[in-house]
Amino acid sequence: MFRRRRPNEPPLDKGVIPWLGYALDFRDNSAQFLQKMQKKHGDIFTAQIGGYYFTFLMDPLSFGSVVKEARFKMGFEEFAHELVARVFGYHNISGDHKHLQTSSTKYLMGDGLLVMTQAMMENLQNLMLYSVGSRQGTNIWQQDGLFHFSYNIVFRAGYLSLFGNESAKQAGSTEKAKEMDRLHSEELFNEFRKYDRLFPRLAYAVLPPKDKLEAERLKRHFWNKLSVKNCKNKDNISGWISDQQKFRDENGMPEHMQDRFMFVLLWASQGNTGPSSFWLLVYLMKDPEAMMAVKEEIDNVIKSSGQVVKPGGPLLNLTRDMLLKTPVLDSAVEESLRLTAAPVLIRAVPEDMNLKMADGRSYAIRKGDRVALFPYVAVQMDPEVHHEPHVFKYNRFLNADGTKKVDFYKNGKRVKYFSMPWGAGSTICPGRFFAVNELKQFVFLMFTYFEFELLNPEEEIPPIDETRWGFGSMQPTHDITFRYRPRL
């Protein structure tokens, strides 16, 4: 509380409340708070938040000085471990993060992604297309909330692809096993959404007593449902999940703590892709030109694969190679993430250090402080980097020749980190390729097998829920109703 700014340190703003500082302002609306502080102090400042001092870097041209810094000089693991222990009840072991990165590279990228793409395809087909061609699948419009529908389908298919399917042998038949997958994944999603709604306040440790009890109940529910014991009865468990279990088992972790880690993996892998699929669909549906461009590209990719989607015919087999031929959809995905993904990247400072800015200025950062980037405000919504930043432009990340656009500028200088929905550097999301594939597969099936439209085409896109800033993909303040029916 007696801290004073020293020579060469960034502007210091402790707020008026001892110890808490700006904790409430940051929790209630991080984006608004940082915009106000940037206007007051400039592109770098130190703020007191809940007993810690955070130095926020708001100049995207200087992001490399944080992203590229060696981990021993600027780490994130201490902060991450505190959060995971508070929110999920999981306590890490030595080598945790390194093994997770290695395992994710093996199973969620490259050749491993081939296997995961196929698993995701089969589970999406089971959830979305099981009634196509049957009497249930007649041309009747069905209504749902677009956020609920998108989150529900993508979460459940991703969960089944990672954690495995019901055993056909135990269920009695393949069809019975698929039906059980549909039923129990629906139940799991409903419980997950209850936890998901509590998550921001749980992360900030401000849950009222009644909600604390509910959070503990939900934690125990997921520890049981995702337990190592239950996983052993599943078929098609992904290599990513089984490898995590094996590593922790071999390193002597108690089984109850392994169960808790499975819940961490479920949230990390599925807590963002569902909301992201909603934003992608709603932005496309509100932009007829974008809808037409994406639909045309999807039709061309299917046609060039030699497949024909028709009544009574085989279901579409969407391969990873097909997903690599969608520059228009890729740009639309990246644009929707630019508008709605807002993680905070935090690094702990174990020793006194100097932070160099792109303009040559250097600032002293104290041992024990934290350095933070909030790309949503600092670059993704910067009108100089992205013209009309609040407008969805499906081709923003496309060059005129159809190639991926990566050249964006600020003050006449190229911005390397022009959009950071996945983080960057050593903390970049290791499952980002699988997550993008999930989004694209979902959109492919929606456009190929369904007609869909907003119930009220004039209804505005819902605003972002400001209480969730900093936790990845944002969520809307309310749902928006749409209707859909099978094309076939």
Side-chain angles (χ1 to χ4, degrees):
M1 65 183 292
F2 299 107
R3 177 162 168 159
R4 295 288 181 269
R5 184 184 181 187
R6 297 173 184 166
N8 297 326
E9 287 187 341
L12 174 65
D13 197 330
K14 299 193 291 183
V16 295
I17 308 174
W19 191 83
L20 265 181
Y22 285 106
L24 301 179
D25 303 70
F26 187 76
R27 183 196 73 194
D28 292 342
N29 192 328
S30 306
Q32 189 178 74
F33 164 73
L34 291 174
Q35 286 168 335
K36 184 177 73 174
M37 294 291 276
Q38 184 180 19
K39 193 173 182 181
K40 181 179 179 182
H41 298 296
D43 284 337
I44 186 169
F45 52 86
T46 301
Q48 183 178 213
I49 298 176
Y52 289 96
Y53 286 94
F54 286 81
T55 295
F56 288 95
L57 182 58
M58 305 298 288
D59 171 28
L61 293 169
S62 302
F63 278 6
S65 60
V66 173
V67 172
K68 295 177 181 177
E69 190 61 84
R71 194 177 293 174
F72 70 87
K73 282 190 177 182
M74 200 181 286
F76 76 101
E77 293 182 21
E78 178 189 347
F79 175 80
H81 294 160
E82 289 175 12
L83 182 64
V84 168
R86 179 164 67 247
V87 177
F88 299 103
Y90 173 73
H91 299 279
N92 64 291
I93 57 174
S94 178
D96 244 3
H97 177 70
K98 184 177 180 181
H99 182 265
L100 181 60
Q101 292 280 14
T102 303
S103 182
S104 299
T105 300
K106 181 177 180 179
Y107 294 105
L108 301 180
M109 301 180 194
D111 291 339
L113 192 57
L114 281 169
V115 178
M116 290 308 306
T117 301
Q118 187 60 39
M120 186 71 186
M121 195 68 230
E122 290 170 5
N123 286 302
L124 279 171
Q125 289 173 346
N126 180 31
L127 298 178
M128 296 174 71
L129 308 179
Y130 69 92
S131 64
V132 168
S134 70
R135 286 188 175 182
Q136 288 175 278
T138 52
N139 231 23
I140 298 173
W141 287 105
Q142 296 183 65
Q143 281 185 208
D144 201 347
L146 184 61
F147 178 73
H148 174 267
F149 177 87
S150 305
Y151 201 166
N152 178 292
I153 294 292
V154 175
F155 172 93
R156 291 162 64 203
Y159 156 70
L160 292 168
S161 301
L162 291 168
F163 288 84
N165 304 105
E166 293 292 338
S167 166
K169 186 177 180 181
Q170 290 185 17
S173 70
T174 301
E175 286 308 311
K176 185 64 178 174
K178 287 183 176 181
E179 183 185 350
M180 290 173 67
D181 275 343
R182 293 195 294 269
L183 290 172
H184 97 256
S185 64
E186 177 75 43
E187 293 169 358
L188 195 81
F189 172 74
N190 291 335
E191 292 298 285
F192 185 85
R193 281 292 290 140
K194 293 174 186 176
Y195 193 80
D196 194 27
R197 291 184 182 96
L198 298 175
F199 184 85
R201 286 179 298 159
L202 181 59
Y204 283 117
V206 292
L207 277 179
K210 184 181 177 183
D211 287 343
K212 272 186 183 178
L213 289 173
E214 175 67 352
E216 289 304 314
R217 181 193 72 79
L218 289 163
K219 282 182 194 176
R220 290 192 295 272
H221 174 79
F222 282 102
W223 296 339
N224 176 48
K225 290 291 183 182
L226 304 172
S227 68
V228 174
K229 182 180 176 182
N230 282 342
C231 276
K232 287 177 181 176
N233 297 321
K234 297 289 185 70
D235 288 343
N236 311 319
I237 300 172
S238 70
W240 189 59
I241 292 295
S242 57
D243 188 54
Q244 299 301 321
Q245 291 178 350
K246 182 181 177 185
F247 170 77
R248 281 158 186 77
D249 195 45
E250 289 176 349
N251 282 273
M253 179 177 282
E255 196 168 289
H256 77 273
M257 194 58 67
Q258 294 182 47
D259 298 343
R260 296 181 179 197
F261 187 67
M262 290 299 106
F263 187 23
V264 177
L265 293 183
L266 177 69
W267 188 87
S269 63
Q270 299 309 309
N272 289 309
T273 46
S276 295
S277 65
F278 157 76
W279 292 117
L280 176 58
L281 267 191
V282 77
Y283 278 119
L284 289 175
M285 292 167 78
K286 293 290 286 184
D287 185 340
E289 183 187 336
M291 278 282 280
M292 190 179 299
V294 169
K295 179 71 168 70
E296 187 177 308
E297 182 176 70
I298 286 173
D299 290 343
N300 288 337
V301 168
I302 294 172
K303 186 177 179 181
S304 65
S305 74
Q307 299 182 69
V308 178
V309 179
K310 60 183 181 181
L315 293 177
L316 174 67
N317 180 28
L318 184 55
T319 65
R320 190 186 66 163
D321 287 344
M322 292 168 69
L323 293 171
L324 293 173
K325 300 172 182 175
T326 58
V328 176
L329 180 55
D330 289 341
S331 177
V333 168
E334 192 155 1
E335 174 70 341
S336 65
L337 291 173
R338 180 192 68 82
L339 284 161
T340 60
V344 175
L345 282 66
I346 297 173
R347 301 287 190 275
V349 182
E351 300 294 340
D352 288 350
M353 63 172 291
N354 288 315
L355 188 63
K356 193 168 184 180
M357 304 282 282
D359 61 7
R361 290 177 295 164
S362 184
Y363 290 93
I365 309 295
R366 295 191 201 184
K367 173 183 178 180
D369 284 4
R370 292 169 175 182
V371 174
L373 308 179
F374 193 64
Y376 184 86
V377 170
V379 63
Q380 290 166 212
M381 289 292 120
D382 186 333
E384 191 175 349
V385 180
H386 299 288
H387 180 58
E388 296 181 318
H390 294 282
V391 178
F392 174 79
K393 299 181 180 181
Y394 77 95
N395 55 359
R396 188 186 294 273
F397 295 95
L398 278 179
N399 290 313
D401 63 358
T403 56
K404 181 181 173 66
K405 182 179 179 181
V406 294
D407 294 324
F408 295 86
Y409 296 88
K410 183 178 176 68
N411 299 332
K413 296 180 180 178
R414 184 172 178 271
V415 179
K416 181 176 181 180
Y417 303 101
F418 50 82
S419 186
M420 299 169 67
W422 311 104
S426 61
T427 60
I428 194 166
C429 174
R432 61 194 181 280
F433 299 109
F434 176 53
V436 168
N437 272 12
E438 287 182 281
L439 296 180
K440 291 167 69 175
Q441 286 174 292
F442 172 64
V443 168
F444 253 86
L445 292 185
M446 284 298 294
F447 275 77
T448 303
Y449 285 97
F450 297 94
E451 296 176 68
F452 55 97
E453 59 190 28
L454 295 176
L455 202 63
N456 176 9
E458 303 304 314
E459 187 174 357
E460 294 293 322
I461 293 174
I464 280 171
D465 178 359
E466 295 167 347
T467 65
R468 299 189 73 98
W469 289 121
F471 295 112
S473 183
M474 300 299 289
Q475 296 187 13
T477 55
H478 60 271
D479 212 337
I480 184 169
T481 307
F482 87 122
R483 64 177 193 165
Y484 63 98
R485 65 180 177 184
R487 288 183 183 274
L488 304 176

